[in-house]
Amino acid sequence: MEEKQLKINHSVQKVFAIIENMSAVESPMSLNDISKQTNLPKATASRLLYTLMTMGYAQQNPKTADYSLTLKFKLLTNSTTISHDIVSLVRPYMQQISSELNEATCLSLCDKQELVYIESIDSQDNLLNVTQKIGKRAPLYCTGAGKLYLSKMTEEELDHYLAQTQLVSLTDQTIITATDLKKELRKVKEQGFSMDDEECEMGVKCVAIPLMDQQQTLLATLSVSMPSIRASSEKISQTVEVLKHVTQNFCL
């Protein structure tokens, strides 16, 4: 039996023509520029760009109407500039949060089902030296930031993670059963933030919030770490309030 002749999908070709041109330009592009660079009619380019936007891979500046690729696309392609891009955007917020709370802050990404610290600011009294964490990895299940990523997983994805990951006790507080972890993740979903209650390191508590893109996809996490001796319920509530207030208008 002869093989059926496969045909090239021209719509896919057009989409990648747009992506390639936008990737080659560091600044946002107008619809007119995209149309010229790709030799596509404006109507066609606009339709394909809209599709990329609904999937979270492109975004449009509401003021200029220019288009650019999102950090979600760079994460998908494992761009070497992704960490630098996120750090540049988030660091001013980290500085404000650290200044208001006098506590250490960390910026993290998820990579291969592990948490990776890509930026940090020490507490002003230097009681917590978190800058040494940059580049290091930690489990998702016992970190505040990691729990945010787990809370965004579907039930099937979470079950797969649990099947592949041994929940090792790092401290007396570490959650080490799937049942307890799932209960904790339901709480994270309800409250919109997560905590590490000395689960990764004794003497340290952490509060983390998600940093989302325009399609509400979790791309990074921002967390505040503090010594347990000053992590009263009032301080935890203040930390959550400051994190949410400072980042309320922030979108990756």
Side-chain angles (χ1 to χ4, degrees):
M1 183 181 294
E2 292 184 4
E3 264 189 48
K4 184 184 287 187
Q5 183 68 38
L6 296 178
K7 295 182 179 179
I8 293 175
N9 188 308
H10 295 293
S11 292
V12 174
Q13 280 186 318
K14 294 171 184 176
V15 168
F16 274 94
I18 290 175
I19 290 173
E20 288 173 354
N21 276 275
M22 293 176 72
S23 296
V25 179
E26 293 186 1
S27 57
M29 298 178 69
S30 67
L31 177 60
N32 187 53
D33 288 339
I34 293 172
S35 175
K36 286 181 178 179
Q37 292 293 328
T38 58
N39 293 316
L40 294 173
K42 285 185 181 180
T44 300
S46 179
R47 175 170 52 83
L48 296 175
L49 284 163
Y50 177 75
T51 301
L52 287 171
M53 288 172 62
T54 60
M55 296 178 67
Y57 293 110
Q59 60 191 355
Q60 185 178 34
N61 186 310
K63 294 182 179 180
T64 65
D66 289 346
Y67 296 89
S68 59
L69 295 175
T70 65
L71 293 177
K72 180 179 179 180
F73 180 81
K74 294 180 180 180
L75 280 171
L76 180 69
T77 56
N78 291 318
S79 169
T80 56
T81 62
I82 182 65
S83 295
H84 179 267
D85 288 346
I86 293 181
V87 169
S88 297
L89 289 169
V90 180
R91 187 167 178 80
Y93 295 87
M94 295 177 67
Q95 291 171 329
Q96 182 179 346
I97 291 167
S98 185
S99 176
E100 288 191 31
L101 295 170
N102 296 319
E103 301 292 358
T105 61
C106 285
L107 177 64
S108 310
L109 297 176
C110 182
D111 179 58
K112 299 177 182 177
Q113 297 193 331
E114 285 186 312
L115 195 69
V116 182
Y117 299 98
I118 63 171
E119 180 66 321
S120 61
I121 298 176
D122 289 338
S123 57
Q124 293 189 12
D125 60 10
N126 289 318
L127 195 55
L128 277 182
N129 296 315
V130 296
T131 50
Q132 61 186 332
K133 284 188 175 183
I134 297 176
K136 291 188 176 181
R137 293 173 174 265
L140 297 179
Y141 66 89
C142 62
T143 53
K147 289 178 189 176
L148 289 172
Y149 285 103
L150 293 179
S151 72
K152 295 294 183 180
M153 290 184 178
T154 64
E155 187 172 348
E156 288 184 355
E157 290 171 337
L158 182 58
D159 286 339
H160 178 73
Y161 169 81
L162 291 170
Q164 301 294 319
T165 306
Q166 183 179 0
L167 304 183
V168 179
S169 179
L170 300 184
T171 75
D172 292 340
Q173 297 285 91
T174 308
I175 297 174
I176 55 173
T177 70
T179 300
D180 288 342
L181 182 59
K182 288 183 176 181
K183 180 179 178 181
E184 174 75 1
L185 297 179
R186 285 194 293 271
K187 180 180 177 181
V188 170
K189 286 183 180 181
E190 291 173 1
Q191 62 191 16
F193 67 91
S194 61
M195 277 199 63
D196 161 11
D197 188 8
E198 297 186 277
E199 298 161 55
C200 188
E201 181 182 352
M202 286 302 297
V204 178
K205 293 191 179 185
C206 172
V207 180
I209 63 166
L211 295 178
M212 318 291 284
D213 67 6
Q214 294 179 345
Q215 284 68 41
Q216 294 303 295
T217 300
L218 175 59
L219 293 185
T221 55
L222 188 56
S223 59
V224 172
S225 299
M226 65 192 77
S228 301
I229 56 173
R230 60 186 184 220
S232 63
S233 57
E234 291 80 8
K235 183 60 178 285
I236 296 298
S237 296
Q238 179 197 14
T239 300
V240 172
E241 184 179 339
V242 170
L243 279 168
K244 290 185 174 181
H245 175 72
V246 172
T247 62
Q248 62 183 335
N249 296 319
F250 179 80
C251 185
L252 288 171

